[in-house]
């Protein structure tokens, strides 16, 4: 039996530390602003170093007890200090092997190995946190020899490959639209900082804000927005740096990441659906991203949505698909939503704001009403205009919009169930809502398209429903 | 262009079972209202008219739960099992039509709650890899045979592929 490289004690330590960051940070702030004035009590320091020492020792013990071994076509893993776990995995049950290397691991040219089996429950995941690159490759090769769906071309390197250049990535990052997320995080950090800032400084700040009034606040907000935009771009660049996608036999190989280098290997038959997303910031420039919903358990950071390409010009989408996942390169003409559903889309979008009915003497409400209602109605109209579906013998495509326009394509065998719903009001207007469930990870992903006509409903029913019922 | 409603109906006794369940809900609602009046009488000086509004609400809810919902639910409930798919229709305000291909079905269970058991009824629940679909209030024998039938069909269609 082998042990992992001892560096896992360090990497494990940092991982635990990261998960404890919030409680430690909060307790530190509480200490800092406690009743003794600014400063940290010695007892707290002793306690904290105790916690850190415990983490380190625990990591060491865990390393000591983790052993693995490969022989006779199966991989054994022994681990656990108090609760012993002994796991065996047969190589023909293995679906994918992914490697990953963080900054510490790369310094020692090590990788961590994730092994997934066919069962989609979390229990069957294998995970070796640090082993040398050569050993990982050797293990990979030996396991891959008899993988469930072996492909002789697996080690071929002549499949189509695409590497994103830095300027493309930069464009993708700037338009990635995770500004809101970072903005929220910044907001939390700032509100925490407020507690630490001494009162005198606080007074000056408050005075200056009150003095400059609305414009000052606007400037602060704009600054924060710009800052979070920059940060979100940087975050995107770090995650997607050196993005490469490669077609290899029965799978796609995707690698990306600056600090943590991630490598995914996706077998085509595990892809349940793909979708093309045109974000609000991207659509004006005809840019989109393509992502895939992949079945099977694992610990990918994006849950089970894997970016097949983070940025692509819309005119290249079909070419990309036919080069990398030809199964999903479907020629299509979308059936738009019926005219009569437009009114429902507009009303639905406007509904949250009806309480702001313009009142003659309350100018504030009137302004807010027009400021919110007009964009809402516009969004509703866009949703109506973009909504549509397409189906042929084997494919179903839905195009919807929440904010970003999303075109989902799935195969008939991947649809777990289909729901055709009609509310009272919809029945009155002879409309229905389509909902399909597609497998993703352990639960299902649901795609919904509202207000299709009864003709579409009938076509969908004949496409997916029981054959017998219609004949008789 | 109309899709025919699924041919099979669930057992008529389901309506009575739902009414009983409605009665239980209603009892809880009335108990809540009673609590308001008791609190008002002994502890707090709460306005009387709110109590009456609550009572009105409770009566309205009781009527919908006991009389209206079971009737409407019965009207729309229907199911059909063919060789290739399961077709279920149900709903009160929104009529839901679920289509589940036999190939996608992973397992079938029957289960019976206390009220349903009183009437010798069972619920059939059909699971795919991500969703669960239930047909309530089937005669226990029917549920049992349907379970076998679906399991059989699901197995058959799996061999087909």
């Amino acid at each position: 039996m082998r042990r992992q490289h001892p560096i896992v004690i360090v990497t494990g330590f940092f991982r635990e530390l990261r998960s404890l960051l919030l409680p430690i940070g909060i307790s530190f702030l509480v200490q800092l602003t406690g009743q003794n004035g600014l400063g940290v009590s010695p007892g707290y320091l002793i306690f904290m170093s105790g916690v850190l020492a415990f983490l380190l020792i625990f990591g060491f013990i865990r390393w000591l007890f983790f052993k693995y071994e490969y022989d006779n076509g199966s991989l054994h893993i022994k681990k656990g200090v108090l609760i012993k776990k002994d796991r065996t995995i047969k190589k023909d049950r293995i679906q994918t092997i992914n490697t990953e290397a963080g900054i510490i691991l790369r310094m020692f040219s090590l990788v961590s190995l994730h092994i997934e089996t066919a069962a989609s429950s979390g229990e069957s995941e294998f995970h070796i946190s640090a082993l040398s690159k050569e050993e990982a490759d050797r293990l990979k090769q030996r396991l891959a020899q008899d993988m469930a769906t072996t492909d002789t071309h697996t080690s071929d390197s002549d499949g189509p490959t695409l590497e994103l250049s830095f300027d493309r990535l930069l464009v993708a990052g700037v338009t990635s639209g995770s500004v809101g997320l970072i903005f929220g995080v910044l907001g939390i950090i700032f509100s925490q900082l407020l507690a630490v800032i001494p009162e005198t400084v606080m007074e000056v700040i408050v005075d200056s804000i009150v003095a400059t009034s609305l414009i000052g606040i606007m400037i602060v907000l704009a600054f924060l927005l710009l800052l979070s935009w920059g940060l979100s771009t940087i975050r995107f660049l770090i995650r997607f740096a050196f993005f490469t996608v490669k077609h290899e036999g029965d799978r796609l190989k995707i690698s990306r990441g600056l600090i943590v280098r991630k490598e995914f290997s996706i077998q085509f038959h595990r892809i349940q659906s793909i979708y093309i997303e045109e974000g609000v910031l991207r659509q004006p420039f005809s840019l989109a991203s393509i992502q895939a919903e992949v079945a099977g358990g694992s610990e990918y950071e994006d849950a089970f949505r894997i970016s097949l390409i983070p940025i692509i010009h819309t005119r290249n989408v079909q070419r990309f698909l036919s080069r990398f996942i030809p199964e999903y390169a479907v020629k299509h003409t979308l059936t738009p939503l019926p005219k009569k559903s437009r009114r429902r889309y507009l009303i639905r979008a406007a509904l949250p704001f009806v309480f702001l009915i313009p009142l003659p003497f309350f100018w504030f409400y009137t302004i807010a009403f027009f400021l919110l209602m007009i964009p809402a109605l516009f969004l509703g109209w866009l949703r109506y205009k973009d909504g549509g579906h397409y189906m042929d013998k084997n494919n179903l495509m839905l195009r919807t919009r929440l904010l970003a326009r999303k075109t989902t394509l799935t195969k008939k065998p991947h649809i777990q169930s289909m729901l055709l719903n009609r509310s009272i009001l919809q029945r009155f207007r002879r409309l229905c809502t389509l909902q399909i469930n597609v497998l993703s990870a352990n639960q299902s992903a649901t795609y919904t398209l509202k207000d299709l006509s009864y003709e579409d409903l009938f076509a969908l029913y004949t496409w997916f429903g029981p054959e017998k019922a219609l004949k008789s | 262009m109309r899709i025919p409603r699924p041919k099979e109906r669930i057992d008529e006794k389901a309506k009575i079972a739902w009414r009983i369940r409605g009665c239980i809900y209603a009892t809880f609602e009335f108990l809540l209202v009673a609590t308001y009046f008791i609190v008002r009488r002994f502890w707090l000086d709460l306005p009387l008219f709110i109590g009456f509004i609550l009572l009105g609400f409770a009566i309205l809810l009781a009527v919908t739960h006991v009389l209206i919902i079971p009737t409407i639910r019965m009207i729309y409930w229907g199911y059909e099992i063919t060789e290739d798919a399961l077709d279920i229709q149900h709903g009160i305000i929104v009529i839901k039509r679920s289509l589940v291909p036999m190939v996608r079905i992973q397992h079938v269970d029957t289960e019976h709650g206390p009220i349903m058991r009183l009437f010798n009824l069972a619920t059939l629940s059909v699971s795919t890899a991500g969703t669960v679909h239930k047909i309530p209030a089937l005669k226990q024998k029917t549920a049992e045979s349907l379970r076998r039938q679906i399991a059989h069909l699901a197995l058959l269609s799996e061999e087909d592929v």
Side-chain angles (χ1 to χ4, degrees):
Chain A
M1 297 288 273
R2 282 163 179 281
R3 286 211 174 84
Q4 304 172 90
H5 192 278
I7 200 74
V8 287
I9 302 168
V10 181
T11 55
F13 174 72
F14 281 119
R15 199 175 44 242
E16 296 286 341
L17 205 62
R18 205 171 57 183
S19 65
L20 287 177
L21 206 61
L22 201 65
I24 289 178
I26 288 172
S27 72
F28 184 70
L29 275 181
V30 169
Q31 268 292 317
L32 212 60
T33 55
Q35 66 268 76
N36 321 336
L38 285 179
V40 182
S41 70
Y44 177 76
L45 280 181
I46 291 168
F47 174 73
M48 264 310 134
S49 35
V51 168
L52 296 187
F54 174 76
L55 284 183
L56 216 53
I57 293 167
F58 190 67
F60 171 73
I61 295 174
R62 210 160 39 185
W63 168 77
L64 203 64
F65 281 81
F66 189 105
K67 290 175 190 169
Y68 67 94
E69 157 181 73
Y70 179 81
D71 80 318
N72 273 343
S74 52
L75 186 69
H76 298 274
I77 288 184
K78 268 189 181 180
K79 64 172 180 179
V81 182
L82 291 173
I83 302 162
K84 301 257 178 207
K85 271 192 184 162
D86 221 331
R87 231 182 246 171
T88 307
I89 184 172
K90 280 195 186 139
K91 67 178 172 187
D92 52 334
R93 305 298 312 163
I94 293 172
Q95 289 272 3
T96 52
I97 305 171
N98 296 326
T99 56
E100 203 183 293
I103 203 155
I104 300 173
L105 287 186
R106 263 192 291 169
M107 280 196 294
F108 295 85
S109 68
L110 301 166
V111 290
S112 72
L113 202 67
H114 300 253
I115 299 168
E116 277 169 54
T117 57
S120 54
S121 68
E123 259 302 290
S124 52
E125 305 317 327
F126 280 77
H127 188 166
I128 301 173
S129 308
L131 68 174
S132 70
K133 231 178 163 144
E134 298 82 53
E135 207 185 325
D137 282 340
R138 204 161 48 231
L139 205 58
K140 241 166 135 175
Q141 233 168 26
R142 287 171 76 183
L143 290 171
Q145 271 166 15
D146 294 88
M147 246 197 251
T149 40
T150 319
D151 193 291
T152 38
H153 304 290
T154 307
S155 50
D156 264 10
S157 52
D158 56 352
T161 310
L162 193 134
E163 217 180 312
L164 271 191
S165 58
F166 180 74
D167 51 332
R168 291 277 213 92
L169 265 174
L170 193 64
V171 172
V174 170
T175 56
S176 74
S178 48
V179 182
L181 182 83
I182 306 277
F183 194 66
V185 173
L186 275 185
I188 293 169
I189 293 173
F190 270 48
S191 66
Q192 289 293 318
L193 278 182
L194 283 185
V196 193
I197 297 170
E199 245 168 67
T200 43
V201 180
M202 203 54 208
E203 265 166 34
V204 174
I205 293 174
V206 169
D207 280 348
S208 63
I209 286 177
V210 170
T212 50
S213 77
L214 212 61
I215 296 162
I217 294 171
M218 296 275 244
I219 289 171
V220 171
L221 278 181
F223 168 74
L224 276 185
L225 202 67
L226 220 60
L227 184 65
S228 39
W229 200 343
L231 285 177
S232 83
T233 306
I234 290 168
R235 176 169 166 263
F236 186 92
L237 285 179
I238 288 172
R239 288 173 67 201
F240 285 93
F242 308 114
F243 185 95
T244 317
V245 55
K246 192 169 163 196
H247 183 299
E248 268 192 24
D250 68 337
R251 63 196 66 212
L252 274 184
K253 285 212 163 163
I254 292 171
S255 56
R256 62 173 171 84
L258 186 67
I259 296 169
V260 178
R261 194 104 187 100
K262 299 220 168 206
E263 243 177 69
F264 305 116
S265 145
I266 311 161
Q267 282 167 297
F268 287 122
H269 68 90
R270 290 177 65 216
I271 297 178
Q272 302 293 307
S273 63
I274 64 157
Y275 56 87
I276 299 149
E277 200 172 315
E278 296 160 80
V280 183
L281 292 176
R282 286 181 180 175
Q283 206 187 352
F285 308 103
S286 298
L287 294 171
S289 70
I290 306 178
Q291 317 199 41
E293 200 86 56
V294 181
S298 139
E299 319 155 348
Y300 299 142
E301 69 176 301
D302 308 347
F304 294 86
R305 280 173 200 160
I306 294 176
S307 248
L308 297 184
I309 184 144
I311 190 127
I312 190 167
H313 197 281
T314 38
R315 72 162 173 256
N316 295 331
V317 167
Q318 281 300 322
R319 213 178 51 201
F320 175 86
L321 291 177
S322 55
R323 271 179 78 199
F324 290 96
I325 18 172
E327 265 190 67
Y328 284 86
V330 176
K331 282 210 178 67
H332 61 273
T333 39
L334 286 170
T335 315
L337 293 168
K339 273 234 166 60
K340 55 186 172 184
S341 63
R342 184 172 60 197
R343 202 169 78 186
R344 286 179 56 83
Y345 269 85
L346 292 179
I347 292 173
R348 229 191 328 259
L351 218 54
F353 305 112
V354 284
F355 69 93
L356 291 172
I357 299 163
L359 294 170
F361 298 107
F362 297 95
W363 58 272
F364 177 76
Y365 280 106
T366 315
I367 289 176
F369 178 79
F370 284 112
L371 232 55
L372 292 169
M373 196 60 123
I374 290 168
L377 282 175
F378 181 63
L379 188 63
W381 180 76
L382 276 180
R383 282 177 186 158
Y384 159 74
K385 198 187 64 116
D386 287 328
H389 76 285
Y390 164 82
M391 62 185 162
D392 60 27
K393 193 166 170 293
N394 217 2
N395 304 292
L396 179 65
M397 186 181 271
L398 299 181
R399 195 166 71 182
T400 53
R401 174 195 288 277
L402 193 67
L403 277 172
R405 186 162 81 171
K406 218 164 139 179
T407 314
T408 314
L409 176 61
T410 187
K411 303 269 161 192
K412 196 172 175 182
H414 292 150
I415 301 174
Q416 298 291 330
S417 62
M418 178 185 278
L419 251 76
L420 300 162
N421 297 344
R422 296 166 296 146
S423 71
I424 289 187
L425 290 172
Q426 278 180 317
R427 265 175 277 161
F428 185 64
R429 313 228 13 121
R430 298 176 63 78
L431 294 167
C432 81
T433 293
L434 165 71
Q435 190 184 317
I436 56 169
N437 294 299
V438 174
L439 192 63
S440 105
N442 298 334
Q443 69 277 52
S444 69
T446 306
Y447 302 111
T448 312
L449 181 59
K450 286 174 178 156
D451 298 330
L452 292 153
S453 68
Y454 269 24
E455 285 75 32
D456 299 330
L457 168 81
F458 191 78
L460 282 161
Y461 184 88
T462 13
W463 184 71
F464 199 73
E467 276 169 41
K468 283 273 177 69
L470 289 165
K471 276 182 207 154
S472 55
Chain B
M1 241 185 260
R2 264 269 152 97
I3 302 166
R5 84 191 296 294
K7 288 201 190 65
E8 310 290 329
R9 311 293 307 266
I10 56 172
D11 200 288
E12 275 295 325
K13 275 184 281 183
K15 230 177 351 187
I16 307 168
W18 289 331
R19 294 223 157 104
I20 292 175
R21 202 169 62 184
C23 285
I24 295 170
Y25 288 154
T27 318
F28 277 110
E29 286 147 21
F30 282 121
L31 274 175
L32 275 178
V33 177
T35 322
Y36 183 87
F37 279 106
I38 292 168
V39 169
R40 196 189 101 82
R41 172 77 180 76
F42 294 106
W43 290 286
L44 295 169
D45 187 26
L46 297 167
L48 187 65
F49 75 97
I50 287 183
F52 281 116
I53 289 174
L54 286 177
L55 188 66
F57 258 124
I59 293 170
L60 211 68
L61 276 175
V63 170
T64 37
H65 276 149
V66 179
L67 298 176
I68 299 173
I69 288 180
T71 314
I72 299 179
R73 196 176 259 165
M74 200 65 208
I75 293 173
Y76 291 121
W77 246 110
Y79 70 93
E80 192 163 340
I81 296 163
T82 63
E83 272 174 33
D84 51 350
L86 183 66
D87 182 355
I88 303 174
Q89 176 183 286
H90 70 113
I92 299 159
I93 293 170
V94 182
I95 303 179
K96 296 170 186 148
R97 191 80 178 244
S98 320
L99 304 170
V100 189
M102 279 298 160
V103 215
R104 302 274 83 82
I105 293 174
Q106 292 204 325
H107 59 265
V108 207
D109 302 312
T110 51
E111 60 197 43
H112 11 196
I115 303 175
M116 288 293 173
R117 209 155 42 208
L118 218 65
F119 295 92
N120 255 336
L121 297 175
T123 300
L124 189 76
S125 83
V126 177
S127 316
T128 69
T131 54
V132 181
H133 307 269
K134 290 187 174 181
I135 308 175
L138 296 164
K139 282 201 186 66
Q140 283 189 6
K141 266 188 195 153
T142 324
E144 201 55 38
S145 71
L146 279 182
R147 188 170 64 91
R148 285 215 197 90
Q149 193 189 337
I150 291 175
H152 181 68
L153 285 173
L155 204 73
L156 272 188
S157 46
E158 206 135 19
E159 281 165 6
D160 263 11
V161 175

